[in-house]
Amino acid sequence: MPATRVSSTEAADRLIRELRAEHGELVFHQSGGCCDGSAPMCFPRGDFRIGGGDVLLGEVAGVPFYMGGAQFAFWKHTHLTVDVVPGRGSGFSLEAPRGVRFLVRSRVLTTEELRELGEPV
Amino acid sequence: MTYVPPNHDGAIVRFRARYENFIGGDWVKPAKGQYFEDITPVTGRAFCEVARGSSADIETALDAAHGAKAAWGKTSAGDRASVLWKIADRIEQNLEKLAVAESWENGKPVRETLAADLPLVVDHFRYFAGCIRAQEGGVSELDGDTVAYHFHEPLGVVGQIIPWNFPLLMAAWKLAPALAAGNCVVIKPAEQTPATMMMLMDLVGDLLPPGVVNVVNGFGVEAGKPLASNKRIAKIAFTGETTTGRLIMQYASENLIPVTLELGGKSPNVFFEDVFAKDDDFADKALEGFAMFALNQGEVCTCPSRALVQESILGQFVERAVARTKRHVPGNPLDPKTTVGAQASNDQLEKILAYIDIGKKEGAKVLTGGGRAELPGDLAKGYYVQPTIFQGTNEMRVFQEEIFGPVVSLAPFRDFDHAIKTANETLYGLGAGVWTRDGNTAYRAGRAIEAGRVWTNCYHLYPAHAAFGGYKQSGIGRENHRMMLAHYQQTKNLLVSYSPKAMGFF
């Protein structure tokens, strides 16, 4: 299997499918900072404006997953798995009213994965 | 003595079973008739219901605010200050009750809400009551016959979105300057902590003319977004994280309105070797400054979550810092002896545990803590984390991301330049701490660190009258200070000629 930077759990995939049925095409943007920061935000695609500095990490359940470039510089050696947990969130992420919240779990990319992704090892 | 949980026999706090929105001076049912449960992180159980507002409720609130803005904006500064002062008095008279309520809803220790959150709420209302009386416009004499007058005018109706980590204090930081400046407000509390704001409106609602303060609860996407993107607000203020901060700026750009943002940080707390030159009060104070990472369970935008320690004292510092951290008392937030309470929500707990996990996987060493805190009885289903110290290097993710938990990452530095370089290797610049007995070092470090506030030989003080705000990705604007008035005011310039003669151009 080719190396990826981001993947998702089955529970996250199910939730993404439900949200897509309700809101149409979606986009993820990984947040940073206070409160609900360091959590992925899920928006209707086109609502959040992806900037020139944002980096596309990959797709989860067909939904593009972005992160700010400066933040990516500190994250690029890790693999992210989008999961979902009971919770309330804050911010404008679409899933919060359902009483659940997207979350990223992380692991360090292996040397082989880093090489395949074109990162220095 | 541990406070009795709210709504139990003998409790000093009684939440209503259900809170409506507060609009136009009245309790107003949400348009869709929906409510959501408010959960206390102390036990993980719901304790009341709160209106689940939507765009229709935001519009109703904006109607009320626009209806009130002409009269409130023309109310004299003296009368507005008087209202703020009365609000402060009313809060002070009910301080213990609000402190216990805040502790129950947010999970923070009551020793903090009694000693910090609520007294600071009072302080901020009084400060801005004073500020607006002392504020003066300007007169510029351009030449003998021409004068520029500068008047401060309110913006009109502003939107404010409040975070869950200091629900009442963050509301006060935003409400006090906005009201002092003569604005009407539509405020959206965090969905994790909506109830104490409604309790506050129960207490002070009668002091405000109807429509001056309107509170709409609900979820970000359902109530926050229709507020932030609304054409009828003249400004939006937000405390939260970077992605939502960007979205709010994006909405503001569509309406060409100003924003103020406070988006968090990853604050360095720098300990130079001379802190242990003597084993005295100051050395003890510095260690207390280190242990502040667990204040409010680390759910503070300025959590001193990167401890940078000069390598010549590293061994001694680690030993004493671990011992000091172990003196923290985790437990029931309603027990005044507790120093580390519950994380505010289940997703917050899960996020912190996910960070502790990646910290370990990246090879950071756990010096103490490193997991969920298991507490007995009713607290077993609450959201508790052990105060945790990692030792590692500044490029690790636990050094770069705001975990918003009682987790500090410690790394050594060689010398002054190395300390500053490491301190500044972050996307953020909200707070920082510098600890040294040398005034020159303190001054140079404080000026060199790229952060809006550098606590010098102290930490986590939040008095009104000291500007608070961020460099870099930490945000825009300065709260807690007179200069925040400028973020809630227009400048009106009257450029007046007192000459009876034509200019002679035509």
Side-chain angles (χ1 to χ4, degrees):
Chain A
M1 227 169 69
T4 60
R5 295 189 181 279
V6 60
S7 62
S8 48
T9 62
E10 279 181 27
D13 287 351
R14 269 197 304 279
L15 179 59
I16 291 166
R17 281 195 295 273
E18 288 172 23
L19 291 171
R20 188 192 278 132
E22 186 179 344
H23 299 281
E25 291 304 311
L26 307 172
V27 67
F28 277 103
H29 193 274
Q30 173 65 43
S31 190
C34 180
C35 305
D36 212 25
S38 314
M41 300 289 170
C42 182
F43 302 123
R45 200 176 300 175
D47 194 13
F48 180 85
R49 184 175 172 275
I50 298 299
D54 288 310
V55 177
L56 177 65
L57 273 68
E59 290 193 348
V60 286
V63 177
F65 189 105
Y66 288 91
M67 183 186 299
Q71 192 170 336
F72 179 68
F74 289 111
W75 289 54
K76 62 187 176 187
H77 64 291
T78 55
H79 180 276
L80 312 180
T81 302
V82 178
D83 196 2
V84 59
V85 296
R88 179 116 320 159
S90 63
F92 298 173
S93 198
L94 289 172
E95 79 285 11
R98 295 164 178 252
V100 289
R101 186 72 187 90
F102 286 116
L103 176 88
V104 287
R105 302 189 190 281
S106 311
R107 65 174 174 81
V108 179
L109 287 161
T110 64
T111 309
E112 293 72 34
E113 287 174 316
L114 287 168
R115 199 170 282 132
E116 197 179 327
L117 292 165
E119 295 294 339
V121 290
Chain B
M1 182 209 69
T2 302
Y3 285 94
V4 176
N7 294 8
H8 288 66
D9 287 343
I12 62 167
V13 175
R14 193 148 291 274
F15 286 101
R16 295 187 191 190
R18 172 180 275 189
Y19 286 100
E20 313 293 351
N21 291 319
F22 184 83
I23 299 174
D26 276 326
W27 298 99
V28 179
K29 292 185 190 306
K32 290 186 176 173
Q34 294 179 321
Y35 297 83
F36 64 98
E37 285 188 330
D38 194 356
I39 295 164
T40 170
V42 179
T43 64
R45 295 197 191 99
F47 64 95
C48 70
E49 282 187 338
V50 177
R52 180 174 166 183
S54 62
S55 59
D57 304 299
I58 293 293
E59 295 300 335
T60 308
L62 285 167
D63 290 343
H66 279 276
K69 79 172 182 182
W72 181 245
K74 286 191 166 37
T75 299
S76 72
D79 286 349
R80 292 201 305 263
S82 174
V83 169
L84 293 191
W85 197 269
K86 285 176 187 160
I87 290 173
D89 285 349
R90 192 72 66 79
I91 294 169
E92 195 166 53
Q93 288 151 13
N94 292 275
L95 193 143
E96 190 178 19
K97 176 177 149 182
L98 287 166
V100 172
E102 190 82 317
S103 177
W104 186 247
E105 187 172 34
N106 169 280
K108 60 176 68 200
V110 74
R111 68 188 279 128
E112 289 180 18
T113 54
L114 285 168
D117 297 54
L118 270 300
L120 287 170
V121 169
V122 173
D123 183 40
H124 278 80
F125 277 105
R126 289 195 179 135
Y127 173 74
F128 280 103
C131 261
I132 200 65
R133 298 301 306 277
Q135 189 182 37
E136 300 200 7
V139 177
S140 310
E141 186 176 334
L142 304 177
D143 59 45
D145 290 323
T146 317
V147 179
Y149 297 95
H150 295 101
F151 297 90
H152 301 293
E153 295 180 355
L155 294 176
V157 174
V158 301
Q160 302 181 329
I161 298 180
I162 308 301
W164 47 260
N165 58 342
F166 292 82
L168 288 173
L169 183 57
M170 294 300 105
W173 282 16
K174 289 185 169 41
L175 274 176
L179 296 177
N183 298 283
C184 294
V185 178
V186 176
I187 192 164
K188 211 287 281 175
E191 46 270 57
Q192 289 92 337
T193 53
T196 50
M197 185 69 202
M198 308 323 281
M199 186 174 270
L200 180 67
M201 296 320 295
D202 248 343
L203 283 170
V204 306
D206 64 303
L207 300 173
L208 289 154
V212 170
V213 174
N214 307 278
V215 189
V216 178
N217 272 304
F219 293 97
V221 64
E222 295 176 348
K225 179 178 168 181
L227 175 60
S229 58
N230 206 287
K231 289 180 171 46
R232 292 200 289 157
I233 55 170
K235 177 242 166 81
I236 182 80
F238 171 69
T239 293
E241 30 63 47
T242 57
T243 295
T244 308
R246 274 175 59 173
L247 194 55
I248 280 174
M249 284 193 92
Q250 183 189 311
Y251 295 145
S253 78
E254 290 165 16
N255 292 322
L256 290 172
I257 57 166
V259 296
T260 45
L261 301 170
E262 199 271 80
L263 304 178
K266 191 70 188 175
S267 302
N269 205 8
V270 183
F271 298 88
F272 287 97
E273 60 189 357
D274 62 357
V275 293
F276 286 162
K278 291 186 222 166
D279 191 11
D280 58 359
D281 281 352
F282 182 77
D284 181 63
K285 185 187 184 191
L287 287 165
E288 182 193 41
F290 168 85
M292 291 271 187
F293 76 85
L295 182 109
N296 206 41
Q297 298 70 247
E299 293 169 346
V300 193
C301 300
T302 40
C303 173
S305 54
R306 289 189 299 146
L308 307 180
V309 180
Q310 196 150 11
E311 60 188 7
S312 52
I313 58 164
L314 182 66
Q316 185 191 3
F317 190 94
V318 163
E319 188 183 323
R320 295 179 72 173
V322 168
R324 185 58 173 248
T325 300
K326 285 180 174 167
R327 275 169 49 191
H328 266 302
V329 184
N332 184 351
L334 297 184
D335 182 344
K337 291 194 293 295
T338 294
T339 65
V340 185
Q343 307 304 141
S345 63
N346 179 64
D347 48 314
Q348 185 57 26
L349 168 73
E350 293 273 3
K351 192 176 77 181
I352 295 162
L353 297 177
Y355 271 104
I356 291 176
D357 179 55
I358 185 62
K360 291 173 181 170
K361 286 175 181 164
E362 279 196 274
K365 193 167 134 196
V366 178
L367 300 179
T368 185
R372 188 172 181 166
E374 308 290 345
L375 297 178
D378 276 354
L379 308 182
K381 288 203 163 69
Y383 315 134
Y384 299 88
V385 176
Q386 300 165 1
T388 297
I389 308 176
F390 277 118
Q391 186 175 343
T393 54
N394 195 53
E395 67 278 5
M396 290 176 171
R397 279 185 42 195
V398 288
F399 280 80
Q400 290 297 334
E401 289 154 40
E402 190 158 358
I403 297 170
F404 234 53
V407 181
V408 63
S409 302
L410 183 151
F413 66 85
R414 288 186 305 279
D415 54 21
F416 182 89
D417 289 346
H418 188 210
I420 301 304
K421 180 169 177 291
T422 310
N424 288 338
E425 272 173 359
T426 170
L427 303 178
Y428 305 100
L430 189 59
V434 169
W435 298 86
T436 173
R437 296 169 194 262
D438 183 314
N440 297 343
T441 303
Y443 177 79
R444 289 190 299 124
R447 294 302 301 271
I449 293 173
E450 296 160 353
R453 169 171 300 167
V454 182
W455 279 281
T456 305
N457 294 334
C458 59
Y459 208 95
H460 269 336
L461 303 174
Y462 298 92
H465 209 162
F468 181 86
Y471 282 29
K472 302 200 288 197
Q473 292 193 17
S474 290
I476 302 167
R478 291 294 180 273
E479 302 190 277
N480 304 4
H481 191 270
R482 185 190 63 202
M483 58 184 79
M484 196 62 191
L485 288 176
H487 292 293
Y488 285 106
Q489 289 175 321
Q490 280 287 10
T491 298
K492 169 64 56 64
N493 167 233
L494 291 189
L495 185 51
V496 181
S497 169
Y498 290 103
S499 167
K501 295 192 185 308
M503 289 172 72
F505 270 2
F506 300 109

